[in-house]
Amino acid sequence: MTPKRLPSLLFLLLAALTIAALVGGCGAPAAAPPEAEPAQPAEPTAAAPAGGEAAAPTALDFVVWSYGLETIQDNINNFQAANPECQINLKDYSWLDYHDTMVGRFAAGDPPPLLYGSDHWLQEWASADWLAPLNEPFPQVTDYSGELAPYALQGMTYNDNVYGLSYYADTIDFVYNEDQLKAAGFDAAPQSWQDLWDMSVALKEQGITEYPMILAFSQSEGASIEAMISMIYGRHTGEAALFDAANKPTFNSEGSSAYEAIEWLRKAYDAGLLDPASLATAEIDQVKSMQSGAHTFTILPQYNMAELNKPDSGEFAGKFKIALMPGDSHATVGYVRFYAMSPKAAEMGDAALACSWKFLEYFGGKTDGTYTVVKRWAVENGLGFAQLPLFQDPDVQEAFGKWGDVDMIAAQAELARAKEGLTPWFGAWDVFTRAEIHKAILGQQSTMDTLGNMEAEWNRLAAQ
C-alpha cells in the first residue's frame, strides 16, 4: 500500500489538468489593451491650422449708450469684414443710465473690454483703474494728438496718459428760431443775457411763445452740467470761472459768473420765460419741443442741429440758427466722447489686445489715411468732431452747410473750453449739483446757499 503515494499522484494529475486548462484559456488575447490617455484641449490660436478649419475669431464686447445703433452695427460689420479675426459684440444702455450702469459693472468685476467713455467720468474711471491708458500698449495712439482740438485731447488725458480715441467732440451751442425772433421784431440774435431777457419778454407778451426758453435740465440728463457751465463761461472772461488751477472752487461769491447764471434762471422761471418743464426735460424731448415751435431759445449740444433742421421735420425746419453763447466772452463748453478700453482686453491675451487696437483705430483713427467712421458720423448725423483736418473735408463742409452756418460753427469752436474741475470726483459733484440748482430755480433756497452747498460738497469729495 502506498497510502501516501496515491494523493501525490492525484495531486500531480489534477495540477497537470489545471495547468492545461489555464494554458488553453490563455489562447485568447494575451492582454487587455492599455487605457487611452485623456484627450487634451487644443490651444486657441488666431491662425488656421494647416489643412484644418479656420480658428474662431477673437470676440470682444463693445458697450455704448443708445444712439445710432444701426450705424454702429453697420460700422462693426464693415470692420469685421476687413478684420475677420476679430468679432465685436454690441451692447447698449440708455444714455441716462450709462454712467451708473457701467460703474456697477466695473465694481462687480464685469467690465467690457471696449466701451464708450466721456470726459465727465474719465478721471473717476481712470483713477480707479477701470480704464486702461491706451498709450502704454499702443504708443502709436499719440500720433493722432497733433490733429485733435485741444479741449478734446485734454478731455481724453489723465495723468499724462491718453485714454481714448475720439468718437465725437462738440460744443454746447445757443440756438434760436429765426422766424419767431423776426416775428417779434428782432433781426439779430441776442448778444447778452439782458438781450435774451428783453427778447423773451417781447415774445411772451406778443403771444408768439408762452415760454420762450426751454432747457434740458432733468436731473437724469448728463449733459445738463455742460449747458449750465456754458451759461457761466459765456459771462466769464479768462480762466477760473469755477475752479482755479489747483481745482479750488472760485464760484462761491455774490457777483460771480455762476451766481449770475443761477440768478438769471431763477428770475426767468418766476417770470414765466423759462418753461417749468425744463426741470424734467431730457435732450430728445428738448429737440422735439423746439421743433414744435413751443419755444424760441435753447442751449444744447451742436449735433442736434441736423435733427432740428432736418427737412420735413416740421414747420420750422431750416429756421433754427446757432449764435455765439450770450455774454461778454461768448465762451462755451467743448466736450468729447471717446472709444475706450478696459484692462479686460489685456487680461484676455495678445489676440484680444491686437483686435482692440485695430478696432480703436478703425473707429476713432484713420483707415487708409482717412477718418472713415468719424467722417461718416459727421456727414450722416451731423456729429461734431475733434479731428481738425475734417473741417477742410468738402463732404463735411457740404453736410454741415445744410443745417448750420459753418463759419459760426467754427467761430464758436474757437471759443470752446474744456470743463474746469475735471477730477475723479467731478461726476459725483455733478449729480449733487443738479439737485442744488433745481432748488435755487424753484426758490427753495437762495442762490448763495446753493453755491455754498456746491462748494462744501466739492471740498468733502476732494478730501475723501
Side-chain angles (χ1 to χ4, degrees), residues 150-203:
Y151 70 81
L153 180 59
Q154 181 181 349
M156 298 188 293
T157 302
Y158 173 69
N159 281 350
D160 296 326
N161 287 315
V162 177
Y163 280 79
L165 278 173
S166 176
Y167 156 38
Y168 80 96
D170 221 339
T171 55
I172 300 294
D173 288 353
F174 181 84
V175 174
Y176 65 99
N177 183 320
E178 185 179 46
D179 272 8
Q180 291 180 340
L181 202 58
K182 286 183 176 178
F186 301 98
D187 58 5
Q191 295 297 303
S192 69
W193 289 92
Q194 186 59 53
D195 289 346
L196 180 57
W197 182 278
D198 295 340
M199 293 177 181
S200 296
V201 170
L203 285 156

Side-chain angles (χ1 to χ4, degrees), residues 296-307:
T296 306
F297 305 113
T298 196
I299 295 172
L300 42 59
Q302 184 188 101
Y303 67 81
N304 288 296
M305 289 298 294
E307 177 64 24

Side-chain angles (χ1 to χ4, degrees), residues 236 240-242 249-263 447-452 455:
H236 189 88
L242 288 166
T250 59
F251 55 77
N252 186 15
S253 64
E254 192 167 332
S256 70
S257 296
Y259 175 87
E260 292 178 355
I262 295 174
E263 276 288 285
T447 296
M448 283 306 300
D449 285 344
T450 293
L451 294 176
E455 181 179 36

Side-chain angles (χ1 to χ4, degrees), residues 99-120:
H99 171 269
D100 292 350
T101 302
M102 293 312 301
V103 168
R105 289 192 59 169
F106 292 141
D110 181 33
L114 300 168
L115 67 155
Y116 277 174
S118 171
D119 53 4
H120 289 73

Side-chain angles (χ1 to χ4, degrees), residues 179-247:
D179 272 8
Q180 291 180 340
L181 202 58
K182 286 183 176 178
F186 301 98
D187 58 5
Q191 295 297 303
S192 69
W193 289 92
Q194 186 59 53
D195 289 346
L196 180 57
W197 182 278
D198 295 340
M199 293 177 181
S200 296
V201 170
L203 285 156
K204 188 176 183 70
E205 289 180 347
Q206 294 178 40
I208 296 172
T209 47
E210 181 180 4
Y211 299 108
M213 188 168 193
I214 187 168
L215 296 170
F217 265 31
S218 162
Q219 290 197 38
S220 60
E221 174 51 65
S224 63
I225 190 67
E226 291 166 333
M228 188 71 235
I229 295 176
S230 294
M231 298 172 70
I232 296 170
Y233 277 6
R235 291 173 163 87
H236 189 88
T237 300
E239 304 292 328
L242 288 166
F243 304 98
D244 64 17
N247 287 319

Side-chain angles (χ1 to χ4, degrees), residues 46-66:
E53 296 182 356
T58 298
L60 297 170
D61 289 344
F62 173 41
V63 173
V64 305
W65 50 78
S66 307

Side-chain angles (χ1 to χ4, degrees), residues 58 60 79 83 85-88 113-115 132-145 148 156 162-166 339-342 344-346 349-367 371:
T58 298
L60 297 170
F79 168 75
N83 300 275
E85 72 277 21
C86 306
Q87 176 183 319
I88 305 300
L114 300 168
L115 67 155
L134 299 187
N135 53 289
E136 291 184 358
F138 316 127
Q140 64 272 34
V141 72
T142 59
D143 293 345
Y144 288 104
S145 299
L148 300 178
M156 298 188 293
V162 177
Y163 280 79
L165 278 173
S166 176
Y339 302 100
M341 184 178 78
S342 79
K344 179 73 172 294
D350 291 344
L353 209 54
C355 278
S356 294
W357 172 248
K358 290 177 181 178
F359 171 87
L360 291 166
E361 186 165 47
Y362 184 89
F363 277 69
K366 294 179 181 176
T367 300
Y371 289 107

